[in-house]
Amino acid sequence: MTYLYLDIETIPAQDDETKARIAAAVKAPGNLKKADSIAAWEKEQRPAAVEEAISRSGLNGAYGHVCCVGFAFDNDDPQYVAWPHPHENEAETLRYLSTFLATSKFPPTIVGHNVANFDIRFLWQRAMVLGVTMPAWFPRDPKPWSIEVFDTMTAWAGARETISMHNLCLALGIPGKGDIDGSMVGDLWAKGEYRKIAAYCLQDVERTRLIHRKMMIALGEAA
């Protein structure tokens, strides 16, 4: 069996039009009924609420973007594709990724942390938005327990619970994350720290592989 260890990094909406759409959807809380209370909220709290909504758009493929994808087949060294370095835009990045993944002779099992519900779905969403053709074997709507994927979060926490990659690493005796986590990627992107994002993504790929192999020992299977 071939394993593909996968991790993506995403960023919030980047263009003004999309940001304006997100901002327009931010409304005063429903428990505010009086006009003066609503006006006060609009003045004092709405700017922060809009900023938060835009920041969270990095979790939604309708608004956010894939800025980096890290991956490794089996024992191969982790590698990444990203924009703006070395690729000029998101669409070019995804096309390069798709072309590279299509070289796999056999459909691999994709291994990742929350990979079924986030990484794979987000990649499909962005591919649809940008008109990028994904490999024929790329799972379209995999369940976390299907043969197409091995979701390390589900394997540990079950279908209804969650655990962060950092905490799972610590539980398994694997070094956890350092000074960077996924919530910081948007700010790093805004500052032009693209190499830090790539390095962090590659580290997550390696952490994913270590988690998977530790789990496979318990399952009596060699990864």
Side-chain angles (χ1 to χ4, degrees):
M1 179 178 292
T2 298
Y3 293 108
L4 171 63
Y5 299 96
L6 180 73
D7 182 74
I8 70 171
E9 304 304 332
T10 64
I11 55 174
Q14 296 295 297
D15 64 280
D16 292 337
E17 181 179 350
T18 303
K19 290 179 181 179
R21 291 197 345 252
I22 295 170
V26 176
K27 307 296 183 182
N31 63 328
L32 298 181
K33 304 298 183 181
K34 297 181 179 179
D36 56 346
S37 298
I38 294 174
W41 183 89
E42 290 281 345
K43 180 180 179 180
E44 299 170 5
Q45 300 182 50
R46 189 173 189 278
V50 169
E51 183 178 350
E52 173 66 15
I54 293 174
S55 175
R56 289 187 59 80
S57 68
L59 300 176
N60 187 335
Y63 304 113
H65 308 273
V66 177
C67 69
C68 186
V69 182
F71 54 92
F73 282 107
D74 293 327
N75 296 318
D76 294 348
D77 291 335
Q79 55 184 305
Y80 74 94
V81 291
W83 66 286
H85 302 299
H87 303 286
E88 294 183 2
N89 54 52
E90 184 185 19
E92 182 183 339
T93 298
L94 292 187
R95 289 191 185 97
Y96 181 90
L97 173 69
S98 178
T99 299
F100 181 87
L101 295 183
T103 63
S104 178
K105 296 181 180 179
F106 304 101
T109 295
I110 299 179
V111 184
H113 196 77
N114 197 24
V115 70
N117 291 324
F118 183 71
D119 302 69
I120 290 174
R121 184 168 298 279
F122 203 102
L123 285 171
W124 270 118
Q125 290 170 341
R126 295 312 299 165
M128 291 174 184
V129 169
L130 299 168
V132 175
T133 301
M134 297 297 287
W137 57 259
F138 200 74
R140 297 189 180 185
D141 189 23
K143 305 306 178 189
W145 50 84
S146 72
I147 191 66
E148 297 172 298
V149 301
F150 186 102
D151 196 312
T152 57
M153 187 175 77
T154 302
W156 176 270
R160 298 187 179 183
E161 300 295 332
T162 64
I163 185 171
S164 69
M165 181 186 287
H166 176 72
N167 286 335
L168 182 53
C169 282
L170 297 183
L172 296 176
I174 297 168
K177 299 197 178 191
D179 297 331
I180 299 175
D181 62 45
S183 67
M184 303 176 185
V185 170
D187 288 338
L188 289 172
W189 172 272
K191 295 175 183 178
E193 300 280 3
Y194 310 122
R195 292 187 181 277
K196 283 187 178 180
I197 295 173
Y200 167 71
C201 188
L202 291 176
Q203 290 165 4
D204 266 3
V205 172
E206 191 56 54
R207 277 186 280 264
T208 297
R209 179 156 51 190
L210 292 173
I211 291 170
H212 177 240
R213 289 181 171 172
K214 190 71 177 284
M215 289 180 164
M216 296 301 277
I217 293 173
L219 295 173
E221 302 178 31

